[in-house]
Amino acid sequence: MSDDKKLTTRADDFSAWYNEVVLRSELADYSPVKGSMVIRPNGYGIWERMQRALDDMFKASGHVNAYFPLFIPQSFIAKEAKHVEGFAPELAIVTHGGGKELEEPLVVRPTSETIIYHMYAKWVQSYRDLPILINQWANVVRWEMRTRLFLRTLEFLWQEGHTAHATHDEAEAEAITILGIYRKFAEEWMAMPVLTGLKSDNERFAGALRTYCIEAMMQDRKALQAGTSHNLGQNFSKAFDLKFQTETGTEEFAWNTSWGVSTRMVGGLVMTHGDDSGIVTPPRLAPIEVVIVPIWKTNDDRAGMVEAAMKLKAELTDWTGRGESDRLRVHVDARDGIRSGAKYYEWEMRGVPLRLELGAKDLEKQSVFSARRDTRVKAPIPRAGAPAAVADLLKTIQSDLFAAALARREAATIRGVTEYGQFKEIMAGDGGFVYAGWNGDPAVEARVKEETKATIRVIPDAEFR
RNA sequence: CGGGGCGUAGCUUAGCCCGGUAGAGCGCCUGCUUCGGGAGCAGGAGGUCGCAGGUUCAAAUCCUGUCGCCCCGACCA
């Protein structure tokens, strides 16, 4: 038995723990291209569930999906001054195609504002054409100097919403609505508490009027920007001549918003809930919610136990107590030649929220033995009514994960810091979220960052203060 | 782009100082016995030691160059 089965612990080296856990739970792997990664089925399954949940919420709030191309004429990026300033350093640029040098280089989208508002300008004439509420699921490329699995890679997957409105207030309301959707998603699906609020000018999106964000705290007490929603004002509509005629016959520039969340959230999920045994997936996002491990003594017992496990699985997946379209997601691990204990470790690494063990003893007692991934609590569940009990337990796990994450964040949050000395002390120590006053001066922000490495993550909404 | 570390089997690595048959653990394959928390025994497959030069009778080991990766910092969804 060698030590390489043990993970580096979070306390020992959080960053090493994160890398190991992502690789060993088979969420992702390094690709041959430096800084980019392969998202493996375990990781992509989580992303697919994230996509579905978000997409449903976008649709429910009146948005539709479309797809815009990967390549953007280089000149487009330059049309908005702040935008080009922000993105120019990290662009991937295609200069050749079909064996010939291109007349105008093409930028691989780092984000799609430019090409989308160019198209909107073509589609909008009248106020009657507004609002446009389009989202797209896409990949984007940003040539980052330092990358990390899921958190910052050259290419990543995301959704980007781009809307056009007739008035500032309508655009502002849209940006806020989306922020609310992101928050709801983070809390109710990811079980990840977030602060909502406004970014400082320094941290604002390149080309935006205002940037709102959701900020989460990871287990290393560091912040993770988990999603942003921008009120773009008329910056892009002016750059791309996105005009419309009003009811009274005047001509005005449209008001835009853009907003996005990315596969970074998978990384956030890992760093929010993971432990020294692997990742912990909140049930609502788990591709597999329940793994059944049949246990047998001899080869002769095996067939019977596997059959019993399959029968239990059928009972669970046939159950519609959560709704026709939200069946329990169950997997039976009937692999032979691997001992039960080894299976337990493997599914724990992969973060399956609930394990059910089924052996001769359980059959005899008409029960199944359950083991929660989050708390490690083990308890028998009566076989009769098992589906409802399992669903109930999953619900409890979901809410317990949120409560635990919230408690961790609050324990690492200090409010009402008014002395800079105290602030510096906290930052030199364990760090965490510190609520402190700010006079709005970017010079002060820069100095604090220089002296303590702390950044203004968010100017939090009132309820968080 | 700066600083640090590392390239030896699928993975983790020993060997390098002091040149002389390339080793281990995990994983993989076969068989038997096992099976309620990472199984045991037996047999087996798998290596141009990152790449290119050089020194030498002889290079994983010494020298020069080069490429790549990881980590930390500046920059960032």
Side-chain angles (χ1 to χ4, degrees), chain A residues 449-464:
Chain A
K449 184 176 176 182
E450 170 75 29
E451 291 178 1
T452 67
K453 288 185 182 164
T455 56
I456 299 176
R457 300 314 307 170
V458 59
I459 299 160
D461 290 333
E463 66 164 291
F464 297 103

Side-chain angles (χ1 to χ4, degrees), chain A residues 36-241:
Chain A
S36 56
M37 68 172 190
V38 176
I39 304 176
R40 303 181 69 175
N42 289 345
Y44 203 80
I46 293 172
W47 176 240
E48 281 179 311
R49 292 202 56 80
M50 287 178 164
Q51 283 183 300
R52 187 180 307 178
L54 284 164
D55 203 62
D56 286 348
M57 287 193 262
F58 296 152
K59 300 271 172 63
S61 52
H63 301 84
V64 291
N65 285 332
Y67 186 77
F68 295 83
L70 174 68
F71 296 125
I72 298 174
Q74 189 172 34
S75 57
F76 277 32
I77 304 289
K79 287 190 183 183
E80 212 287 333
K82 283 280 189 309
H83 196 64
V84 64
E85 192 185 305
F87 283 106
E90 51 189 49
L91 294 178
I93 299 172
V94 178
T95 56
H96 289 71
K100 282 188 295 192
E101 184 164 355
L102 302 175
E103 252 175 64
E104 181 183 357
L106 298 173
V107 165
V108 181
R109 64 181 165 217
T111 178
S112 303
E113 276 78 3
T114 58
I115 192 156
I116 289 181
Y117 298 129
H118 169 86
M119 295 310 296
Y120 285 7
K122 199 171 156 185
W123 297 339
V124 171
Q125 278 87 45
S126 149
Y127 70 95
R128 294 179 207 275
D129 298 324
L130 298 173
I132 298 182
L133 305 172
I134 289 180
N135 174 63
Q136 84 165 345
W137 291 95
N139 59 338
V140 288
V141 169
R142 297 181 187 178
W143 218 264
E144 303 288 353
M145 301 183 193
R146 225 189 109 208
T147 56
R148 292 196 69 195
L149 294 166
F150 284 113
L151 304 174
R152 200 184 306 103
T153 45
L154 293 196
E155 178 188 357
F156 57 92
L157 305 183
W158 75 347
Q159 59 71 214
E160 47 179 327
H162 295 274
T163 66
H165 306 265
T167 67
H168 166 274
D169 289 357
E170 208 183 295
E172 178 69 9
E174 166 76 4
I176 298 291
T177 296
I178 294 298
L179 192 69
I181 288 176
Y182 285 164
R183 178 186 180 180
K184 187 178 166 72
F185 173 75
E187 294 181 345
E188 295 181 10
W189 291 79
M190 296 180 68
M192 180 175 81
V194 291
L195 302 179
T196 60
L198 194 62
K199 282 288 191 191
S200 71
D201 292 359
N202 261 327
E203 305 271 339
R204 195 203 298 140
F205 175 75
L209 202 60
R210 282 186 288 280
T211 289
Y212 297 98
C213 65
I214 54 172
E215 290 284 330
M217 184 191 283
M218 304 294 103
Q219 290 183 62
D220 59 358
R221 303 165 80 98
K222 287 184 182 158
L224 184 80
Q225 177 175 309
T228 47
S229 180
H230 316 292
N231 181 338
L232 301 174
Q234 295 174 307
N235 292 339
F236 285 90
S237 64
K238 284 176 179 167
F240 287 89
D241 205 29

Side-chain angles (χ1 to χ4, degrees), chain A residues 288-342:
Chain A
I288 297 172
E289 292 173 285
V290 178
V291 62
I292 302 173
V293 180
I295 294 157
W296 55 85
K297 290 268 184 228
T298 69
N299 238 337
D300 294 340
D301 296 341
R302 183 172 178 262
M305 291 316 306
V306 171
E307 199 190 319
M310 294 308 293
K311 201 174 148 220
L312 175 60
K313 176 185 173 174
E315 261 175 52
L316 293 174
T317 54
D318 286 347
W319 184 72
T320 54
R322 242 173 26 178
E324 274 297 330
S325 59
D326 189 19
R327 304 298 182 93
L328 288 162
R329 298 180 294 282
V330 183
H331 175 76
V332 173
D333 186 351
R335 287 176 298 173
D336 200 3
I338 300 177
R339 300 171 76 116
S340 315

